[in-house]
Amino acid sequence: MQVKENSFLVTGGASGLGESVARAIVGQGGNVVIADLNESAGQALVAELGDSARFVRCDITNGDEVQSAVEMAESAFGGLQGSINCAGIVVVQKLLDRDNNPADLEAFSRGVNINLVGSFNVARLVAASIAKRIANDSNAGGHVEKNADQGIIINTASIAAFDGQVGQASYSSSKAGVVGLTLPLARELARHGIRVMTIAPGVFATPMMDSIPEKAREQLEAGVPYPKRLGAPNEFAKLVTHIIDNAYLNGEVIRLDGAIRMV
Ligand SMILES: NC(=O)c1ccc[n+]([C@@H]2O[C@H](COP(=O)([O-])OP(=O)(O)OC[C@H]3O[C@@H](n4cnc5c(N)ncnc54)[C@H](O)[C@@H]3O)[C@@H](O)[C@H]2O)c1
């Protein structure tokens, strides 16, 4: 599927990896609906990107709000071809604190709810929109060609899904869940010609990393075998546009990490 003239929902598109994806899609002649909680950053970005971009304030865990974002793409751009789900949060807490008190259950659940349940919520509503478009096309006499790429759902996991650190129980298990969504959804949606892929980034230079002290950042960079630096958001965006373009990529998780393995 080409990016050009197709429309994509980019969650978390007001910042970091999602922002870079939105810029890349518009840069290649596609359309984006940016769905994010951060209204001011999202509005500023669409003002810059112009007529090929729309913003919707949306919590990815909320069914009605994601449905409104999907409908915005349908009405503004005449249909939706896919989603790139970049909205996510980091939750850091140990199972037991310094005094052996148990972790806060609500904090654990918040990470799983946004990162995993939110990814599923976006996937189900985007897939329904694409399936409806295909049915409308064929009811209108259109011919849906065998093996024609109809849609793409790209989720964002993390290398923490595989190499979880102490304190990352919520984050790692939520991202492992995103990895686990990939194959069953790809198998299920195959009959609609919709592909499902997941990217597991290593450590990228985004606002999410701003809270990390300079010394810790230097240590992270030193831990990347090559290239010895954090990933650039546009390197993530390049992989996204390649996945959209390459119809044989399906049901797989790609680590994008400069060969880092967290120990
Ligand atoms: N930056 C990294 O090193 C890194 C590494 C691995 C995985 N990731 C993953 O990549 C994704 C993007 O991360 P980033 O570094 O660009 O972070 P970021 O904080 O720069 O951007 C995340 C965006 O998601 C939005 N968001 C958060 N919760 C939301 C919700 N419930 N509904 C809608 N929007 C919401 C935020 O407002 C923000 O604009 C996340 O899923 C993150 O876990 C990032």
Side-chain angles (χ1 to χ4, degrees):
M1 173 187 297
Q2 58 176 21
V3 171
K4 197 175 162 117
E5 287 166 11
N6 282 323
S7 307
F8 302 90
L9 180 67
V10 183
T11 76
S15 173
L17 302 183
E19 175 185 338
S20 194
V21 168
R23 289 180 185 281
I25 288 173
V26 171
Q28 292 190 21
N31 303 308
V32 285
V33 171
I34 293 167
D36 200 296
L37 289 172
N38 188 336
E39 191 147 14
S40 55
Q43 295 287 13
L45 183 59
V46 298
E48 185 194 328
L49 293 177
D51 212 32
S52 305
R54 298 284 188 284
F55 174 76
V56 153
R57 194 208 168 274
C58 163
D59 179 339
I60 60 161
T61 65
N62 183 306
D64 292 342
E65 291 182 17
V66 174
Q67 181 59 26
S68 296
V70 167
E71 285 169 14
M72 161 89 80
E74 291 170 346
S75 60
F77 304 123
L80 192 58
Q81 276 70 37
S83 57
I84 300 91
N85 188 49
C86 298
I89 60 161
V90 176
V91 173
V92 181
Q93 76 167 347
K94 291 185 180 176
L95 189 69
L96 301 178
D97 73 10
R98 215 179 281 261
D99 301 317
N100 290 333
N101 296 308
D104 176 30
L105 190 57
E106 198 277 326
F108 178 86
S109 303
R110 185 157 37 89
V112 173
N113 197 35
I114 293 175
N115 294 342
L116 174 57
V117 181
S119 300
F120 181 81
N121 192 32
V122 172
R124 77 188 175 101
L125 296 168
V126 169
S129 168
I130 298 169
K132 189 179 69 183
R133 173 173 53 76
I134 301 167
N136 286 345
D137 283 355
S138 54
N139 288 343
H143 172 66
V144 179
E145 209 177 302
K146 191 175 174 229
N147 286 333
D149 220 7
Q150 296 292 340
I152 175 84
I153 291 170
I154 301 176
N155 283 321
T156 309
S158 164
I159 57 168
F162 312 104
D163 311 343
Q165 306 287 291
V166 171
Q168 287 191 319
S170 174
Y171 189 67
S172 295
S173 59
S174 69
K175 294 299 190 178
V178 173
V179 167
L181 285 179
T182 315
L183 190 56
L185 297 192
R187 286 175 161 161
E188 178 183 339
L189 295 177
R191 72 189 179 94
H192 297 288
I194 302 172
R195 294 181 287 122
V196 181
M197 286 291 294
T198 296
I199 302 173
V203 194
F204 277 70
T206 70
M208 191 178 255
M209 300 303 295
D210 285 351
S211 56
I212 291 184
E214 187 56 32
K215 203 165 164 60
R217 187 187 165 109
E218 282 168 15
Q219 278 170 357
L220 280 170
E221 288 181 330
V224 186
Y226 182 83
K228 271 205 181 307
R229 58 170 174 78
L230 303 189
N234 78 322
E235 291 169 324
F236 179 88
K238 277 186 205 171
L239 179 55
V240 167
T241 54
H242 178 78
I243 290 170
I244 292 170
D245 183 53
N246 190 333
Y248 213 62
L249 278 170
N250 192 15
E252 185 54 285
V253 180
I254 301 177
R255 286 181 74 127
L256 183 66
D257 64 6
I260 196 172
R261 299 293 180 270
M262 300 286 200
V263 287

